[in-house]
Amino acid sequence: MLGARQASALPREVILTTAHRRKLPIGIQTFADIREDGYYYVDKTLHIHRLIEAGKYYFLSRPRRFGKSLLVDTLRCLFEGREALFEGLYIHDKWDWQIRHPVVRLSFAGGHLGTRDALDQRIRDLLHQNRERLGIRLSRETDIPGEFEELIQQAHAQHGQRVVVLIDEYDKPLLDNITDVGRASALRDGLRNLYSVLKDADPHLCFCLLTGVSKFSKVSLFSGLNNLNDVTLDAPYATICGYTDEDLDTVFAPELPGLDRAEIRRWYNGYRWGGQDVTAVYNPFDVLLLLQKRQFGPYWFESATPTFLVDLLRQRGLYTPRLEQWETEPELLSRFDVDEIATEGLLFQSGYLTIKQAEEPMTGYRLYTLGFPNQEVETSLNQALLPSLGVENAPRHRKTLFTHLRANDLAGLETHLKAFYAGLPHDWYRNNPIAKYEGHYASVFYSHFAALGVDVTVEDASNTGKVDMTVDFGGHLYLFEFKVVEQVPEGKALQQLKDQGYADKYRAQGKPIHLIGVEFSREKRQIVAFDTEVA
């Protein structure tokens, strides 16, 4: 039985269609299985039709578990002319089903390839599988580019139609070895050896799509394939992968009763490719597991968060509150190579940050503001980062923090936070580069709160300035200002909150507002002042 609040939050069509339930396609990446075996399917063929009509060579980057493999398999079925699978979908009456193209599909999604020899063997095996499926025999012994070239040419000649090339997870061998520059460089050369064939194969190709997590430099990986159109940030394709709010409220309507719709949005929605005006999407993996398990959890984050990401952020001394509002240029989001990985590019491409705002302050010069896409990522990434900030036994600290916030116990909160900082290992300061940064104290503070999953905003702007951190929890608002006493005289943190009138912005909410000035000592490695006042 739905509670009154939950029921009223659901659209009428959601409540009326609860009887028409289908199977949840968890882990299903085969288009035919979804269409033939009674699974829910979100129709992406409008985007596919637009893509095919607009060009020939494409690249698309999306984070892991976002439906790239299903997209590739849908394209395969379409070009192979499997009409029955597309009945009732957008593209069905817009496609010439009499024409069937030979499809070459290569996927590097499976397994771990740690050497160039292993990669070359996998490539040869994939080419052999495609030859067998297309009924083509290799006419001579040759190298990998020769095999790929002959496969494309013979497929064109034998089937009488130009070839479709689909490459899924094109970059996985590189990402699996990205922390070993020598090994990754050797694998990059092996992949370049394969992909370089596509440039001269143009007369034999009808359509080509490469998908992956990261956009590696064209110069380093594609060797002159300059006509590869990167549609990753193009607004018309912002929702080509992932689920929209409309998808949840229509396709998955029978599964929604009993779940808090607003919380689903807060926890899992928010990925944007192309700016703040494009439609935000959900990671399908999160949505499907939520609908199955009926409880909220960090399903995507826990599925395979790379340890090298956390290690890299630790090595670079990242100021974690910056993750909430990171200004960057578009070029930095795609600057990714074996020996040059921009931090913002890595976080964006892997799905831990998304575009919150896009602006063009002058013609041809664009700026993006990045931030966490949703509550799942903010909470989970900060939990993962706490050990790299010197915090041990984070779950115990998180429970204590929750206890004091729930009781609005500011004295207990002060005691907890001082014990929290006192618990940072002394040796950690000598051996960890983050400790050299003044922002380390605020990073620990922010990540501790963010890891709890409360509503945290950093540098919340008002007409008088920006408060360092705002926490909205349990019907109370907490405004924090941070100072380092070696830089600013003691007592200035709380005074700034009062002098700037930071509380004025929040008074209309009708919640109690607590001003908290937190002052750190670099020498003592501790909070030396925790001044509070009700605004």
Side-chain angles (χ1 to χ4, degrees):
M1 185 71 180
L2 285 174
R5 182 177 64 85
Q6 292 174 313
S8 63
L10 293 172
R12 182 171 178 268
E13 64 269 21
V14 172
I15 301 171
L16 293 178
T17 58
T18 54
H20 308 292
R21 302 184 69 175
R22 300 173 71 85
K23 293 192 286 187
L24 295 166
I26 299 172
I28 309 297
Q29 302 173 352
T30 304
F31 181 66
D33 288 350
I34 289 178
R35 295 291 289 163
E36 293 174 341
D37 296 340
Y39 290 96
Y40 290 106
Y41 175 66
V42 173
D43 187 359
K44 297 294 183 180
T45 61
L46 181 152
H47 303 291
I48 288 172
H49 185 256
R50 181 186 294 136
L51 199 69
I52 295 170
E53 290 293 305
K56 181 174 178 178
Y57 293 94
Y58 291 103
F59 170 78
L60 176 71
S61 168
R62 287 294 185 268
R64 57 191 169 81
R65 297 190 178 275
F66 244 94
K68 299 187 296 295
S69 296
L70 177 58
L71 173 67
V72 167
D73 197 60
T74 306
L75 281 161
R76 176 182 67 84
C77 293
L78 181 67
F79 279 108
E80 288 177 348
R82 302 178 65 178
E83 180 179 4
L85 298 177
F86 293 86
E87 290 182 1
L89 301 184
Y90 172 86
I91 204 169
H92 181 254
D93 61 355
K94 301 171 181 64
W95 192 255
D96 186 348
W97 298 104
Q98 303 305 310
I99 299 176
R100 299 186 176 186
H101 293 270
V103 177
V104 173
R105 179 179 179 182
L106 308 176
S107 174
F108 294 99
H112 179 93
L113 302 172
T115 66
R116 172 67 184 273
D117 287 343
L119 173 63
D120 287 351
Q121 181 60 45
R122 176 65 57 81
I123 292 173
R124 287 186 183 277
D125 186 54
L126 290 170
L127 295 176
H128 175 75
Q129 291 175 29
N130 278 273
R131 284 197 302 270
E132 283 202 332
R133 182 170 49 80
L134 295 171
I136 292 170
R137 304 183 103 184
L138 187 63
S139 64
R140 67 192 190 284
E141 289 294 326
T142 181
D143 57 9
I144 285 175
E147 284 193 30
F148 193 22
E149 183 179 70
E150 184 171 356
L151 170 61
I152 293 172
Q153 291 175 359
Q154 287 197 31
H156 184 191
Q158 190 164 315
H159 291 265
Q161 294 290 343
R162 290 190 176 191
V163 180
V164 172
V165 174
L166 305 172
I167 301 178
D168 191 20
E169 302 291 359
Y170 88 103
D171 55 346
K172 187 175 182 294
L174 289 177
L175 295 179
D176 284 348
N177 298 276
I178 198 67
T179 55
D180 187 323
V181 174
R183 185 184 302 167
S185 296
L187 292 167
R188 178 188 59 191
D189 293 343
L191 290 172
R192 180 169 55 197
N193 198 37
L194 175 71
Y195 301 145
S196 62
V197 171
L198 296 171
K199 178 184 177 182
D200 293 329
D202 181 71
H204 306 284
L205 296 177
C206 165
F207 182 84
C208 181
L209 172 67
L210 285 78
T211 74
V213 169
S214 301
K215 180 188 175 184
F216 280 83
S217 164
K218 286 183 181 180
V219 174
S220 72
L221 198 55
F222 298 117
S223 187
L225 190 60
N226 295 322
N227 54 344
L228 197 63
N229 182 10
D230 180 7
V231 295
T232 299
L233 295 179
D234 289 6
Y237 307 106
T239 61
I240 194 169
C241 291
Y243 299 154
T244 66
D245 268 323
E246 183 181 0
D247 295 331
L248 261 68
D249 291 333
T250 55
V251 176
F252 295 101
E255 305 295 328
L256 293 179
L259 293 170
D260 188 322
R261 187 66 181 84
E263 280 296 282
I264 298 175
R265 186 177 294 110
R266 187 176 77 92
W267 258 83
Y268 298 123
N269 196 21
Y271 294 93
R272 288 182 173 85
W273 283 276
Q276 71 272 20
D277 296 329
V278 301
T279 302
V281 296
Y282 297 77
N283 183 299
F285 188 72
D286 273 327
V287 170
L288 295 175
L289 283 177
L290 169 69
L291 296 180
Q292 182 201 55
K293 297 180 183 296
R294 317 301 293 179
Q295 62 182 12
F296 292 87
Y299 303 118
W300 172 76
F301 190 90
E302 290 180 344
S303 62
T305 298
T307 55
F308 87 87
L309 171 70
V310 175
D311 291 342
L312 187 68
L313 296 180
R314 175 183 56 80
Q315 293 167 12
R316 295 184 177 183
L318 183 69
Y319 177 57
T320 60
R322 185 186 182 192
L323 295 170
E324 262 285 286
Q325 297 180 2
W326 192 322
E327 290 189 346
T328 186
E329 298 180 11
E331 290 76 13
L332 292 175
L333 298 186
S334 58
R335 182 182 294 175
F336 198 96
D337 210 338
V338 170
D339 51 3
E340 183 183 13
I341 305 175
T343 305
E344 54 265 60
L346 174 63
L347 288 166
F348 171 72
Q349 293 179 26
S350 54
Y352 299 99
L353 296 182
T354 195
I355 296 173
K356 292 291 191 179
Q357 183 177 351
E359 52 187 326
E360 191 170 355
M362 63 182 185
T363 304
Y365 180 68
R366 298 191 306 281
L367 285 174
Y368 288 150
T369 300
L370 307 181
F372 292 112
N374 51 45
Q375 191 65 58
E376 178 206 9
V377 177
E378 180 175 12
T379 299
S380 301
L381 183 58
N382 277 286
Q383 286 180 10
L385 289 173
L386 279 171
S388 69
L389 293 169
V391 178
E392 298 178 348
N393 201 359
R396 177 173 59 81
H397 292 302
R398 197 161 59 242
K399 180 179 181 299
T400 305
L401 175 62
F402 172 75
T403 299
H404 291 306
L405 282 177
R406 182 168 59 175
N408 186 35
D409 178 7
L410 296 186
L413 182 63
E414 177 183 1
T415 300
H416 162 66
L417 290 170
K418 287 182 176 179
F420 183 69
Y421 279 89
L424 298 179
H426 182 74
D427 284 346
W428 185 89
Y429 283 93
R430 293 203 306 265
N431 301 325
N432 198 301
I434 295 180
K436 298 176 183 177
Y437 293 81
E438 297 293 355
H440 166 251
Y441 306 101
S443 291
V444 171
F445 203 98
Y446 159 74
S447 291
H448 184 34
F449 278 79
L452 179 60
V454 297
D455 188 356
V456 180
T457 305
V458 297
E459 295 189 356
D460 200 8
S462 69
N463 60 356
T464 57
K466 295 180 179 179
V467 62
D468 284 341
M469 189 173 101
T470 303
V471 174
D472 186 343
F473 180 76
H476 292 257
L477 285 167
Y478 305 90
L479 293 115
F480 294 91
E481 187 71 23
F482 305 127
K483 299 294 181 186
V484 176
V485 294
E486 284 83 4
Q487 297 174 332
V488 178
E490 295 185 35
K492 289 294 185 180
L494 179 61
Q495 195 60 45
Q496 180 169 328
L497 286 167
K498 295 161 62 176
D499 291 347
Q500 296 295 327
Y502 286 146
D504 295 344
K505 173 183 176 179
Y506 307 95
R507 295 191 190 282
Q509 296 185 30
K511 300 177 181 178
I513 301 172
H514 307 272
L515 307 179
I516 306 175
V518 182
E519 299 180 354
F520 304 99
S521 169
R522 183 175 57 220
E523 294 178 0
K524 297 179 180 179
R525 299 168 185 157
Q526 180 56 276
I527 295 174
V528 293
F530 191 90
D531 301 321
T532 68
E533 186 172 307
V534 177

